[in-house]
Amino acid sequence: MGGRILSAVRAEQGMAVVGATERPGSSQIGLDAGAVAGGEAIGVRVADSLERALEPGADVVIDFTAPSASMRHAQVCAQRKVALVIGTTGFPPEARAELQARAREAPIVVAPNMSVGVNVLFRLAGEAARALGPGYEVEIAEMHHRAKKDAPSGTALRLAEVAAEALGLDAQAAGVYERHGEVGVRKPGTIGVQALRGGDVVGDHTVYFLADGERLELTHRATSRDNFARGAIRAARWVAGRRAGLYDMQDVLGFRSEST
């Protein structure tokens, strides 16, 4: 994703890469970031920490790393009052509170999926759940490549949260993540979330609304990681210079007012 983002930034008007970072000990440290990304040299060396990468000065940081690294980067950005866009997934539940604390010092956009299309899917899923009501049962299926470490995906979990919120349910209590053996009839007020893994699938997500005699399916399929990079760039443009606060892609796309 770092390479995809760097390439996307280079194609944007009015944006420039001023720093890049990798985990300590990486063989890429000290190399030109443009060359590492498979393109032309850009005169920016890969640093071994975000602090070093920020030395030239930056308006916004884009982070696609791992939960522990993202939390450390949020601390650095909060201390330096630098805007931050986080596309990392797999955060533990307590991470939200810590990010809210950091967001009192700097503007932070956090989203389980940076794709503009997926974030429109979040919106549609919520509207569909509200319109259809509890008479329609909700099931969510997601599919990703064999190397994805967390399951279900952050996107699937967010879709379940959106549907639960629209139906007045507790997302944690409503979630059903495994069915095996004699599970009995489907319980009312539950939301099934199933994960599939294999091949090189970038990311497929489908929300099913099921009732007697009909079903509605909302599906998003990603065939390239470039759409995640483009969404992150859009978020970076939006959040740079904004007041401190915790935002998501619904804010970036104008689906939610700042006062909310």
Side-chain angles (χ1 to χ4, degrees):
M1 278 307 302
R4 300 282 189 176
I5 291 167
L6 190 145
S7 297
V9 170
R10 294 178 67 182
E12 290 285 320
Q13 292 291 328
M15 298 186 79
V17 176
V18 297
T21 182
E22 253 291 358
R23 60 185 177 276
S26 170
S27 61
Q28 297 176 349
I29 292 172
L31 301 179
D32 187 276
V36 168
E40 297 179 358
I42 61 173
V44 174
R45 299 291 174 183
V46 178
D48 61 359
S49 69
L50 182 59
E51 291 89 340
R52 290 181 184 275
L54 286 175
E55 286 177 0
D59 297 305
V60 61
V61 170
I62 299 177
D63 175 287
F64 278 80
T65 53
S68 59
S70 293
M71 300 309 294
R72 182 167 50 80
H73 294 164
Q75 180 181 12
V76 172
C77 287
Q79 291 171 344
R80 301 197 179 198
K81 314 298 186 197
V82 176
L84 173 63
V85 173
I86 299 178
T88 302
T89 61
F91 287 105
E94 61 271 17
R96 184 76 178 181
E98 185 174 342
L99 286 173
Q100 286 177 329
R102 302 303 180 195
R104 297 190 188 103
E105 305 298 326
I108 302 176
V109 173
V110 183
N113 193 311
M114 286 289 167
S115 161
V116 172
V118 162
N119 282 278
V120 172
L121 175 62
F122 291 151
R123 175 83 169 193
L124 295 175
E127 292 185 356
R130 276 187 291 272
L132 297 172
Y136 286 71
E137 295 153 339
V138 183
E139 293 285 317
I140 298 167
E142 59 97 340
M143 181 186 299
H144 283 84
H145 53 90
R146 65 175 70 89
K148 185 169 178 61
K149 296 179 180 179
D150 57 312
S153 69
T155 300
L157 292 174
R158 181 56 188 153
L159 285 166
E161 289 175 356
V162 167
E165 290 166 5
L167 294 169
L169 301 173
D170 182 319
Q172 293 293 325
V176 176
Y177 303 101
E178 182 180 0
R179 294 188 179 102
H180 180 73
E182 294 292 333
V183 298
V185 298
R186 190 183 194 281
K187 295 180 180 179
T190 58
I191 297 174
V193 184
Q194 305 302 316
L196 306 176
R197 296 289 179 269
D200 62 352
V201 179
V202 174
D204 292 357
H205 294 86
T206 298
V207 185
Y208 299 89
F209 296 91
L210 305 134
D212 293 342
E214 68 174 352
R215 71 175 181 265
L216 172 66
E217 300 177 14
L218 301 176
T219 297
H220 179 274
R221 293 187 176 92
T223 57
S224 168
R225 289 178 175 81
D226 288 342
N227 58 319
F228 306 136
R230 288 191 296 268
I233 298 304
R234 186 163 174 172
R237 280 193 181 277
W238 182 88
V239 77
R242 199 163 291 269
R243 68 185 183 185
L246 190 62
Y247 305 98
D248 63 19
M249 286 296 287
Q250 300 297 297
D251 298 298
V252 174
L253 298 178
F255 292 151
R256 186 186 299 123
S257 68
E258 278 193 36
S259 60
T260 307

